[in-house]
Protein backbone atom coordinates (compact mmCIF):
# COMPACT_ATOMS: atom_id res chain seq x y z
CA UNK A 1 0.00 0.00 0.00
CA UNK A 2 1.31 3.43 -0.95
CA UNK A 3 1.28 6.05 1.83
CA UNK A 4 2.37 9.65 1.37
CA UNK A 5 2.32 12.91 3.33
CA UNK A 6 0.38 16.04 2.59
CA UNK A 7 -0.49 19.28 4.42
CA UNK A 8 -3.80 19.57 6.24
CA UNK A 9 -6.77 20.72 4.20
CA UNK A 10 -8.91 22.70 6.56
CA UNK A 11 -11.70 22.72 7.50
CA UNK A 12 -12.29 19.52 5.49
CA UNK A 13 -9.82 17.40 7.49
CA UNK A 14 -11.09 18.26 10.97
CA UNK A 15 -13.56 15.37 11.19
CA UNK A 16 -11.05 12.72 10.12
CA UNK A 17 -8.36 14.26 12.31
CA UNK A 18 -10.62 14.21 15.39
CA UNK A 19 -11.47 10.57 14.72
CA UNK A 20 -7.77 9.66 14.55
CA UNK A 21 -6.89 11.63 17.70
CA UNK A 22 -9.72 9.94 19.58
CA UNK A 23 -8.00 6.58 19.07
CA UNK A 24 -5.16 7.90 21.24
CA UNK A 25 -6.24 10.79 23.48
CA UNK A 26 -7.69 9.95 26.90
CA UNK A 27 -10.45 12.56 26.60
CA UNK A 28 -12.40 12.70 23.32
CA UNK A 29 -12.27 15.76 21.11
CA UNK A 30 -14.45 17.01 18.28
CA UNK A 31 -13.86 18.65 14.94
CA UNK A 32 -15.40 21.80 16.39
CA UNK A 33 -12.91 21.84 19.27
CA UNK A 34 -9.97 21.43 16.89
CA UNK A 35 -11.23 24.30 14.76
CA UNK A 36 -11.74 26.50 17.82
CA UNK A 37 -8.21 25.75 19.06
CA UNK A 38 -6.78 26.66 15.67
CA UNK A 39 -8.66 29.95 15.76
CA UNK A 40 -6.78 30.87 18.95
CA UNK A 41 -3.39 30.45 17.28
CA UNK A 42 -1.13 32.68 15.18
CA UNK A 43 -1.16 32.37 11.41
CA UNK A 44 2.58 32.92 10.93
CA UNK A 45 5.19 31.72 13.39
CA UNK A 46 8.36 33.51 14.46
CA UNK A 47 11.49 31.62 15.50
CA UNK A 48 15.09 32.70 16.06
CA UNK A 49 18.26 31.56 17.81
CA UNK A 50 18.79 33.11 21.24
CA UNK A 51 22.04 34.43 22.70
CA UNK A 52 23.09 30.86 23.46
CA UNK A 53 22.42 29.70 19.91
CA UNK A 54 19.29 27.78 20.92
CA UNK A 55 15.98 27.84 19.11
CA UNK A 56 13.48 30.30 20.59
CA UNK A 57 10.16 31.82 19.55
CA UNK A 58 7.11 29.96 18.29
CA UNK A 59 5.98 28.02 15.24
CA UNK A 60 4.32 24.75 14.25
CA UNK A 61 4.04 22.30 11.39
CA UNK A 62 1.42 19.64 10.70
CA UNK A 63 1.22 16.84 8.20
CA UNK A 64 -1.10 13.91 7.60
CA UNK A 65 -0.22 10.52 6.15
CA UNK A 66 -2.79 9.40 3.58
CA UNK A 67 -3.52 6.36 1.41
CA UNK A 68 -3.92 6.43 -2.34
CA UNK A 69 -7.62 7.05 -1.67
CA UNK A 70 -6.68 10.09 0.48
CA UNK A 71 -7.77 8.40 3.73
CA UNK A 72 -5.97 9.95 6.69
CA UNK A 73 -4.07 7.21 8.54
CA UNK A 74 -1.42 9.22 10.39
CA UNK A 75 -0.76 12.66 11.77
CA UNK A 76 2.16 14.63 13.17
CA UNK A 77 2.11 17.99 14.91
CA UNK A 78 5.45 19.55 15.82
CA UNK A 79 5.45 22.86 17.66
CA UNK A 80 6.95 25.20 20.16
CA UNK A 81 5.29 28.02 22.10
CA UNK A 82 7.05 31.20 23.23
CA UNK A 83 7.51 29.63 26.67
CA UNK A 84 8.86 26.27 25.43
CA UNK A 85 12.36 25.44 26.69
CA UNK A 86 15.04 26.82 24.32
CA UNK A 87 16.05 24.36 21.63
CA UNK A 88 13.06 22.08 22.17
CA UNK A 89 10.29 20.99 19.81
CA UNK A 90 7.18 19.23 21.15
CA UNK A 91 5.68 16.49 19.00
CA UNK A 92 2.48 14.47 18.66
CA UNK A 93 2.71 11.55 16.22
CA UNK A 94 -0.16 9.11 15.70
CA UNK A 95 -0.69 6.29 13.21
CA UNK A 96 -3.96 4.36 12.98
CA UNK A 97 -3.55 0.85 14.37
CA UNK A 98 -4.26 -1.06 11.17
CA UNK A 99 -1.74 1.04 9.21
CA UNK A 100 1.25 0.69 11.51
CA UNK A 101 4.48 -0.95 10.32
CA UNK A 102 3.83 0.29 6.80
CA UNK A 103 6.13 3.33 6.85
CA UNK A 104 3.68 6.07 7.83
CA UNK A 105 5.33 6.74 11.19
CA UNK A 106 8.78 7.00 9.61
CA UNK A 107 7.52 9.43 6.96
CA UNK A 108 5.93 11.62 9.62
CA UNK A 109 9.08 11.56 11.75
CA UNK A 110 11.25 12.47 8.77
CA UNK A 111 9.09 15.55 8.23
CA UNK A 112 9.78 16.58 11.84
CA UNK A 113 13.51 16.00 11.33
CA UNK A 114 13.60 18.15 8.20
CA UNK A 115 11.52 20.93 9.71
CA UNK A 116 13.33 20.95 13.05
CA UNK A 117 16.74 20.90 11.40
CA UNK A 118 15.83 23.88 9.22
CA UNK A 119 14.73 25.81 12.31
CA UNK A 120 17.86 24.94 14.29
CA UNK A 121 16.16 22.81 16.97
CA UNK A 122 18.30 20.54 19.14
CA UNK A 123 15.86 18.45 21.23
CA UNK A 124 12.68 16.56 20.26
CA UNK A 125 10.07 15.81 22.93
CA UNK A 126 7.11 13.42 22.68
CA UNK A 127 4.88 11.15 24.79
CA UNK A 128 3.65 7.57 24.47
CA UNK A 129 1.22 5.55 26.56
CA UNK A 130 2.92 3.16 28.97
CA UNK A 131 0.69 0.31 27.78
CA UNK A 132 1.73 0.73 24.12
CA UNK A 133 5.06 -1.15 23.95
CA UNK A 134 5.16 -0.93 20.15
CA UNK A 135 5.03 2.87 20.28
CA UNK A 136 7.74 2.96 22.93
CA UNK A 137 9.92 0.61 20.86
CA UNK A 138 9.38 2.74 17.74
CA UNK A 139 10.60 5.82 19.63
CA UNK A 140 13.52 4.16 21.41
CA UNK A 141 14.84 2.60 18.19
CA UNK A 142 14.98 6.11 16.74
CA UNK A 143 16.99 7.66 19.55
CA UNK A 144 14.37 8.65 22.14
CA UNK A 145 14.81 7.84 25.83
CA UNK A 146 12.30 7.92 28.70
CA UNK A 147 12.69 11.04 30.83
CA UNK A 148 9.61 10.90 33.07
CA UNK A 149 6.57 8.76 33.86
CA UNK A 150 3.18 10.40 34.43
CA UNK A 151 0.22 8.48 35.86
CA UNK A 152 -3.48 8.97 35.28
CA UNK A 153 -5.92 8.51 38.15
CA UNK A 154 -9.70 8.42 38.08
CA UNK A 155 -12.47 8.56 40.65
CA UNK A 156 -15.79 6.96 39.75
CA UNK A 157 -18.22 9.42 41.33
CA UNK A 158 -21.07 6.89 41.42
CA UNK A 159 -19.07 5.08 44.10
CA UNK A 160 -18.45 8.16 46.27
CA UNK A 161 -20.66 9.03 49.22
CA UNK A 162 -20.62 12.84 49.56
CA UNK A 163 -20.95 12.55 53.35
CA UNK A 164 -17.76 10.50 53.47
CA UNK A 165 -15.80 13.43 52.04
CA UNK A 166 -16.37 15.36 55.25
CA UNK A 167 -15.15 12.65 57.60
CA UNK A 168 -11.59 14.04 57.86
CA UNK A 169 -13.12 17.50 58.53
CA UNK A 170 -10.38 18.93 56.37
CA UNK A 171 -12.54 21.75 55.09
CA UNK A 172 -13.68 22.74 58.56
CA UNK A 173 -10.12 22.73 59.88
CA UNK A 174 -8.96 24.95 57.03
CA UNK A 175 -11.82 27.39 57.47
CA UNK A 176 -11.29 27.50 61.23
CA UNK A 177 -7.68 28.33 60.45
CA UNK A 178 -8.74 31.55 58.71
CA UNK A 179 -8.89 30.32 55.12
CA UNK A 180 -11.91 30.54 52.86
CA UNK A 181 -13.02 28.74 49.71
CA UNK A 182 -14.53 30.53 46.74
CA UNK A 183 -14.67 30.25 42.96
CA UNK A 184 -13.68 32.63 40.21
CA UNK A 185 -17.39 33.18 39.61
CA UNK A 186 -17.62 34.65 43.13
CA UNK A 187 -14.91 37.22 42.38
CA UNK A 188 -14.92 37.71 38.60
CA UNK A 189 -12.79 40.14 36.67
CA UNK A 190 -9.22 40.80 35.60
CA UNK A 191 -7.98 41.64 39.10
CA UNK A 192 -8.89 38.15 40.32
CA UNK A 193 -7.47 36.53 37.19
CA UNK A 194 -4.18 38.35 37.71
CA UNK A 195 -4.01 37.14 41.31
CA UNK A 196 -4.54 33.62 40.02
CA UNK A 197 -1.83 34.18 37.43
CA UNK A 198 0.66 35.13 40.15
CA UNK A 199 -0.29 31.93 42.01
CA UNK A 200 0.30 29.86 38.87
CA UNK A 201 3.64 31.61 38.23
CA UNK A 202 4.93 30.53 41.63
CA UNK A 203 3.56 27.00 41.60
CA UNK A 204 3.89 25.87 37.98
CA UNK A 205 7.67 25.80 38.16
CA UNK A 206 7.51 23.46 41.18
CA UNK A 207 5.76 20.71 39.22
CA UNK A 208 8.17 17.79 38.69
CA UNK A 209 9.11 17.74 35.04
CA UNK A 210 7.94 21.30 34.26
CA UNK A 211 10.19 22.85 31.65
CA UNK A 212 10.40 26.16 29.85
CA UNK A 213 9.04 29.48 31.02
CA UNK A 214 5.66 30.47 32.43
CA UNK A 215 3.63 32.07 29.60
CA UNK A 216 2.63 35.70 29.83
CA UNK A 217 -0.75 36.63 31.27
CA UNK A 218 -2.75 36.62 28.04
CA UNK A 219 -1.34 33.30 26.83
CA UNK A 220 -1.82 31.75 30.29
CA UNK A 221 -5.42 32.96 30.32
CA UNK A 222 -6.07 31.43 26.88
CA UNK A 223 -4.34 28.05 27.28
CA UNK A 224 -4.23 27.34 31.02
CA UNK A 225 -7.20 29.07 32.64
CA UNK A 226 -9.77 29.00 29.83
CA UNK A 227 -8.93 25.60 28.42
CA UNK A 228 -11.62 23.46 26.76
CA UNK A 229 -14.34 22.76 29.35
CA UNK A 230 -13.59 25.85 31.48
CA UNK A 231 -16.19 27.61 33.62
CA UNK A 232 -15.44 30.23 36.32
CA UNK A 233 -17.61 28.38 38.85
CA UNK A 234 -15.27 25.38 38.49
CA UNK A 235 -12.12 27.34 39.27
CA UNK A 236 -11.93 26.65 43.01
CA UNK A 237 -9.73 28.96 45.07
CA UNK A 238 -8.43 28.95 48.64
CA UNK A 239 -7.87 32.45 49.97
CA UNK A 240 -6.22 33.94 53.05
CA UNK A 241 -7.97 37.26 53.25
CA UNK A 242 -7.61 38.76 49.77
CA UNK A 243 -4.55 36.63 49.02
CA UNK A 244 -5.08 33.62 46.74
CA UNK A 245 -3.00 30.75 48.14
CA UNK A 246 -4.39 27.66 46.39
CA UNK A 247 -6.35 26.74 43.26
CA UNK A 248 -7.74 23.83 41.33
CA UNK A 249 -9.19 24.32 37.87
CA UNK A 250 -11.74 21.62 37.00
CA UNK A 251 -12.71 21.19 33.34
CA UNK A 252 -15.88 19.49 32.10
CA UNK A 253 -16.10 17.24 29.04
CA UNK A 254 -19.65 17.31 27.71
CA UNK A 255 -19.16 14.21 25.55
CA UNK A 256 -18.33 11.98 28.51
CA UNK A 257 -19.87 14.04 31.32
CA UNK A 258 -16.51 13.70 33.02
CA UNK A 259 -14.40 16.25 34.84
CA UNK A 260 -10.65 16.75 34.79
CA UNK A 261 -8.27 18.46 37.23
CA UNK A 262 -6.44 20.71 34.76
CA UNK A 263 -4.29 22.11 37.57
CA UNK A 264 -3.89 22.12 41.34
CA UNK A 265 -1.35 24.36 43.06
CA UNK A 266 -0.65 25.77 46.52
CA UNK A 267 1.72 28.58 47.43
CA UNK A 268 4.95 27.40 49.00
CA UNK A 269 4.37 29.21 52.29
CA UNK A 270 1.01 27.45 52.72
CA UNK A 271 2.01 23.89 51.89
CA UNK A 272 1.68 21.17 54.51
CA UNK A 273 -1.68 22.48 55.74
CA UNK A 274 -3.86 20.10 53.66
CA UNK A 275 -4.99 22.88 51.34
CA UNK A 276 -4.49 20.71 48.25
CA UNK A 277 -6.59 17.98 49.87
CA UNK A 278 -9.29 20.53 50.66
CA UNK A 279 -9.31 21.72 47.07
CA UNK A 280 -9.59 18.14 45.81
CA UNK A 281 -12.52 17.52 48.17
CA UNK A 282 -14.23 20.70 46.97
CA UNK A 283 -13.77 19.55 43.38
CA UNK A 284 -15.24 16.15 44.18
CA UNK A 285 -18.25 17.73 45.87
CA UNK A 286 -18.74 20.05 42.90
CA UNK A 287 -18.58 17.11 40.51
CA UNK A 288 -21.11 15.18 42.58
CA UNK A 289 -23.48 18.16 42.63
CA UNK A 290 -23.21 18.43 38.82
CA UNK A 291 -23.86 14.66 38.46
CA UNK A 292 -20.58 14.12 36.65
CA UNK A 293 -19.66 10.51 35.88
CA UNK A 294 -16.03 10.72 36.99
CA UNK A 295 -13.18 13.03 37.80
CA UNK A 296 -9.71 12.39 36.35
CA UNK A 297 -6.23 13.73 36.88
CA UNK A 298 -2.63 13.22 35.78
CA UNK A 299 0.33 13.16 38.17
CA UNK A 300 4.05 12.86 37.71
CA UNK A 301 5.57 9.82 39.36
CA UNK A 302 7.83 12.18 41.32
CA UNK A 303 4.93 14.20 42.75
CA UNK A 304 4.48 12.05 45.86
CA UNK A 305 2.36 14.51 47.91
CA UNK A 306 -0.39 14.77 45.29
CA UNK A 307 -0.27 11.03 44.59
CA UNK A 308 -0.85 10.35 48.31
CA UNK A 309 -3.78 12.76 48.40
CA UNK A 310 -5.40 11.17 45.35
CA UNK A 311 -5.03 7.66 46.75
CA UNK A 312 -6.44 8.71 50.14
CA UNK A 313 -9.53 10.13 48.40
CA UNK A 314 -10.19 6.94 46.46
CA UNK A 315 -8.65 7.71 43.06
CA UNK A 316 -7.68 4.57 41.20
CA UNK A 317 -4.59 4.41 39.00
CA UNK A 318 -4.98 4.08 35.24
CA UNK A 319 -2.43 3.86 32.50
CA UNK A 320 0.18 6.55 32.28
CA UNK A 321 2.46 8.18 29.74
CA UNK A 322 6.19 8.25 29.21
CA UNK A 323 7.74 11.57 28.31
CA UNK A 324 10.58 10.91 25.88
CA UNK A 325 13.34 13.16 24.62
CA UNK A 326 16.02 12.81 21.95
CA UNK A 327 18.76 14.89 20.40
CA UNK A 328 17.56 15.88 16.95
CA UNK A 329 20.94 15.09 15.38
CA UNK A 330 20.81 11.52 16.78
CA UNK A 331 17.32 10.95 15.40
CA UNK A 332 18.43 12.33 12.03
CA UNK A 333 21.49 10.08 11.91
CA UNK A 334 19.43 6.99 12.68
CA UNK A 335 16.84 7.96 10.06
CA UNK A 336 19.61 8.37 7.49
CA UNK A 337 20.69 4.77 8.22
CA UNK A 338 17.13 3.62 7.54
CA UNK A 339 16.31 2.74 11.16
Amino acid sequence: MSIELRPLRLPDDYEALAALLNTCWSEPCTAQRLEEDDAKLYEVGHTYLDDNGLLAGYDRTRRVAVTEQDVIVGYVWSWRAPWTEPGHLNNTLIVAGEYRRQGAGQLLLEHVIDWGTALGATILVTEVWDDHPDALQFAERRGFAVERHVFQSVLDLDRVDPDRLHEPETLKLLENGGLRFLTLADEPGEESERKLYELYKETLVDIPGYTGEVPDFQEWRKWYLMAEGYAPERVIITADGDNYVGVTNVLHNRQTNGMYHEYTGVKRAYRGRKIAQGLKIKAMLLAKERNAAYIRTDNDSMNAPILRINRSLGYEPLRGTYRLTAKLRDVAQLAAKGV
Side-chain angles (χ1 to χ4, degrees), residues 188-202:
E190 184 173 330
E191 181 181 353
S192 295
E193 289 179 5
R194 288 195 175 273
K195 289 198 293 184
L196 270 184
Y197 176 61
E198 292 303 316
L199 174 57
Y200 269 73
K201 280 176 67 177
E202 177 181 324

Side-chain angles (χ1 to χ4, degrees), residues 94-328:
I94 302 172
V95 176
E98 62 271 32
Y99 290 94
R100 293 171 188 163
R101 301 180 184 274
Q102 298 182 43
Q106 186 64 30
L107 285 173
L108 293 164
L109 182 59
E110 287 171 0
H111 173 71
V112 171
I113 293 169
D114 292 343
W115 187 71
T117 300
L119 290 182
T122 51
I123 301 293
L124 300 180
V125 182
T126 192
E127 292 182 349
V128 300
W129 290 112
D130 60 10
D131 61 353
H132 282 189
D134 289 348
L136 180 60
Q137 183 183 53
F138 175 91
E140 289 181 330
R141 287 184 59 203
R142 288 158 178 81
F144 287 83
V146 174
E147 181 187 80
R148 311 196 71 81
H149 194 190
V150 177
F151 295 97
Q152 292 192 320
S153 301
V154 68
L155 183 68
D156 184 348
L157 290 166
D158 288 337
R159 296 164 54 186
V160 176
D161 180 358
D163 294 333
R164 177 179 171 275
L165 297 180
H166 296 287
E167 285 180 11
E169 298 188 344
T170 301
L171 302 180
K172 187 180 295 184
L173 288 171
L174 291 170
E175 290 167 348
N176 289 342
L179 302 177
R180 63 189 177 98
F181 288 95
L182 66 149
T183 72
L184 194 56
D186 298 322
E187 295 184 359
E190 184 173 330
E191 181 181 353
S192 295
E193 289 179 5
R194 288 195 175 273
K195 289 198 293 184
L196 270 184
Y197 176 61
E198 292 303 316
L199 174 57
Y200 269 73
K201 280 176 67 177
E202 177 181 324
T203 56
L204 268 173
V205 295
D206 289 341
I207 298 174
Y210 185 83
T211 61
E213 301 176 356
V214 177
D216 64 30
F217 173 74
Q218 293 299 339
E219 293 297 310
W220 164 82
R221 188 175 184 271
K222 184 191 302 183
W223 298 108
Y224 283 77
L225 179 63
M226 296 186 176
E228 176 74 15
Y230 156 86
E233 63 271 17
R234 292 195 294 273
V235 180
I236 305 170
I237 302 163
T238 307
D240 186 357
D242 292 331
N243 184 26
Y244 290 176
V245 301
V247 63
T248 188
N249 186 5
V250 185
L251 308 177
H252 181 243
N253 189 314
R254 292 183 180 180
Q255 288 180 265
T256 64
N257 191 32
M259 291 193 175
Y260 173 69
H261 284 286
E262 192 278 330
Y263 185 70
T264 301
V266 176
K267 277 193 170 183
R268 297 183 190 112
Y270 287 81
R271 292 172 190 169
R273 296 172 58 176
K274 296 190 175 182
I275 292 173
Q277 183 173 349
L279 288 164
K280 293 273 187 176
I281 291 171
K282 279 286 190 178
M284 292 162 68
L285 289 168
L286 174 68
K288 284 289 286 185
E289 291 168 2
R290 301 294 195 276
N291 294 316
Y294 63 88
I295 191 164
R296 189 177 63 81
T297 187
D298 295 272
N299 300 116
D300 191 278
S301 59
M302 301 289 288
N303 199 344
I306 290 294
L307 286 169
R308 283 197 297 270
I309 290 170
N310 288 340
R311 298 296 182 264
S312 71
L313 293 173
Y315 282 78
E316 297 180 353
L318 298 174
R319 65 179 181 171
T321 57
Y322 292 121
R323 171 185 163 95
L324 302 107
T325 61
K327 292 180 180 179
L328 175 55

